[in-house]
Amino acid sequence: MKIYISHSSSYDYINKIYNPIKKSDLSKTNTCFLVKNIVY
């Protein structure tokens, strides 16, 4: 499954969204498209 994730620019997205997703099973079984063109 492809999952597209967006966020507010004022939000601490690296620590609150990106890192938890990278460490979770979600990124191992799906393709996650995060803002800033980072794909996990």
Side-chain angles (χ1 to χ4, degrees):
M1 176 184 298
K2 293 180 181 178
I3 302 170
Y4 294 84
I5 302 167
S6 64
H7 55 78
S8 165
S9 61
S10 62
Y11 191 71
D12 180 17
Y13 57 89
I14 292 177
N15 293 314
K16 303 242 179 182
I17 300 176
Y18 289 7
N19 289 337
I21 289 174
K22 288 193 296 187
K23 294 176 184 175
S24 75
D25 288 339
L26 182 70
S27 67
K28 295 174 185 157
T29 57
N30 300 287
T31 303
C32 297
F33 294 91
L34 307 172
V35 178
K36 306 281 184 188
N37 296 323
I38 299 171
V39 178
Y40 297 103

